[in-house]
Structures are given as C-alpha cells and as structure tokens.
Amino acid sequence: MARRPTKKQKRPLAAGAARPAKALRRRPRKDVPLAPRTVRRTALLVGLLAPVLILGLLALATNPDYQAPCTILAVLVLMAAVVGLMLIRSTGWVVWPAVLLGVLLLVLPTAAFRAQLLSHRGVDTRVVITSAHSGKDRTGKVSWTCGVRNEDGSPLPHGTIGGIGCSGTAVGRTMTVLADPDGWAPPATHDEDLSFRGAGAYVAGAVAVLWAALTFGAARRALR
C-alpha cells in the first residue's frame, strides 16, 4: 500500500515538468555610495566647518557662565561630524582615528585658551580668601577650592581658585592671583604653569588639521 507523502517530503514532479527557479536573495549593501557632489560637500562641512565650530564654542566656554551650554553644543557638533564622516566612508580605518581626534578636540581647547588669555591679559590682583571647600577624587586625593574677593571687599568675577595656598586654614588670608581685568576668565594662582597649559592651544590646532586631513583622505578614497 503506497504511503502518503508527509509535509516534509516533496511531491514528485510530473513527467516533463520543470522545477521552478528559486528567487535570488539580495544581500543588503553595507556601503551605499553617495554622489560625488554630495561627498565633496559633506567633506567640506565635516572637515572644515565642524572643527572651526568646535574650537569657537570651546573658546566661548573659557567663561564659566557659558561653559556648560557651549560644551554640550560642541559635543553635538562632533557627533554630527562623526556621522557625516561615516556617511562619506563607513568602512576601513576611518572611524576610530576620528573618535580619538574628536575626544582630543573636546578636551584640550578650553583650559588651553583660558591659560592663553590669562598669560596675555592677566594682571596681579590682591584678593582675600573667603571660603574653602574640599573634595576627593577616585584615588582619595584631597583637593581644595577657595572663593576669593578683592582686597577692598568688592566681588571678583568668577572668584574661585585652587592649588597651592588654598586650604581649609587659608580662609581670611590675603594672596596675589592673576586675574582677567574684564572678568571673562576665572583667576589663576601663580603656581599654575600657564605656559604649559597654553601650549595646548597649538596642539588643538594641530588636531583640527589632522581631522581635516582625515576627512579629505576618506573623501578621496570614497571618490575612487
């Protein structure tokens, strides 16, 4: 007695009948090539406009009143620039160097520009320490932050200092700090190495140039 074919078994084809062709499955492409004109425009925005915007925003962030919003905007600009770079060329060695350069571009400028500003415009100012606050980092090291005002009793813009001379026993003492006459940047003590910090501005400029070179190199590869 003949067995009925199960669901897993295929029924035999009739004599002379051809087996239907299987539909070809298309694999999604990882890289969708952009038009050359779009690649060039994106490279100009990512390679030139993005680092200029980031450096400009972080230059404004030297003023503590604008530091938080300008830093957030700089991070958003960097994220958009990385996305644009991935649109230009998402494969290869481009992404990780871009992330590294982007982190350096965010970390270096604010402290470096602030040091440059105080080095060129700062004047010696006698101040009185009015308060002191301590804090510990992850290693357990204690650091102090002191509030200061002018010796004549008038407030000092962004009157907060740290470093040598600032401690819990220093409240009421008088000391000399380097202050910005216009009050844009916070004051700095004389023990801070402003020349070393200020050199970070040149490093930030070099990082911006490397970012532009990386972007235009990726665009050239994408156009081949």
Side-chain angles (χ1 to χ4, degrees):
M1 187 174 181
R3 296 176 60 185
R4 294 183 178 180
T6 61
K7 293 182 179 179
K8 294 184 179 180
Q9 293 176 344
K10 296 181 180 180
R11 295 179 180 273
L13 295 174
R19 188 179 295 276
K22 293 183 179 180
L24 296 176
R25 294 182 179 180
R26 295 184 177 179
R27 295 182 179 180
R29 297 187 59 179
K30 294 182 180 180
D31 252 349
V32 179
L34 300 176
R37 188 176 182 181
T38 304
V39 171
R40 294 188 184 95
R41 287 183 175 179
T42 306
L44 286 175
L45 292 175
V46 173
L48 295 181
L49 184 60
V52 170
L53 281 177
I54 291 173
L55 292 177
L57 287 169
L58 295 181
L60 291 175
T62 55
N63 187 325
D65 295 337
Y66 306 115
Q67 185 169 358
C70 288
T71 303
I72 293 173
L73 288 176
V75 172
L76 294 177
V77 172
L78 177 62
M79 292 173 62
V82 172
V83 171
L85 189 58
M86 292 177 64
L87 290 176
I88 295 173
R89 187 172 179 83
S90 61
T91 58
W93 48 270
V94 175
V95 177
W96 291 114
V99 173
L100 176 61
L101 292 176
V103 171
L104 293 176
L105 205 57
L106 288 177
V107 172
L108 293 174
T110 300
F113 291 159
R114 186 176 292 168
Q116 286 280 1
L117 189 149
L118 287 176
S119 296
H120 290 85
R121 297 176 50 184
V123 295
D124 289 338
T125 305
R126 296 290 291 175
V127 297
V128 177
I129 299 177
T130 57
S131 61
H133 306 279
S134 63
K136 290 184 178 180
D137 57 14
R138 295 181 179 179
T139 62
K141 182 180 178 181
V142 179
S143 59
W144 288 88
T145 303
C146 293
V148 295
R149 59 176 171 79
N150 287 312
E151 194 175 22
D152 60 3
S154 60
L156 184 69
H158 310 118
T160 303
I161 61 170
I164 298 176
C166 173
S167 64
T169 60
V171 178
R173 292 182 181 177
T174 303
M175 63 182 301
T176 302
V177 299
L178 198 63
D180 177 18
D182 295 332
W184 179 269
T189 58
H190 282 281
D191 62 292
E192 297 184 34
D193 192 352
L194 297 179
S195 60
F196 177 77
R197 291 187 181 181
Y202 304 104
V203 178
V207 171
V209 173
L210 289 175
W211 172 275
L214 179 69
T215 303
F216 293 127
R220 181 176 298 178
R221 285 177 173 268
L223 292 174
R224 288 181 181 175

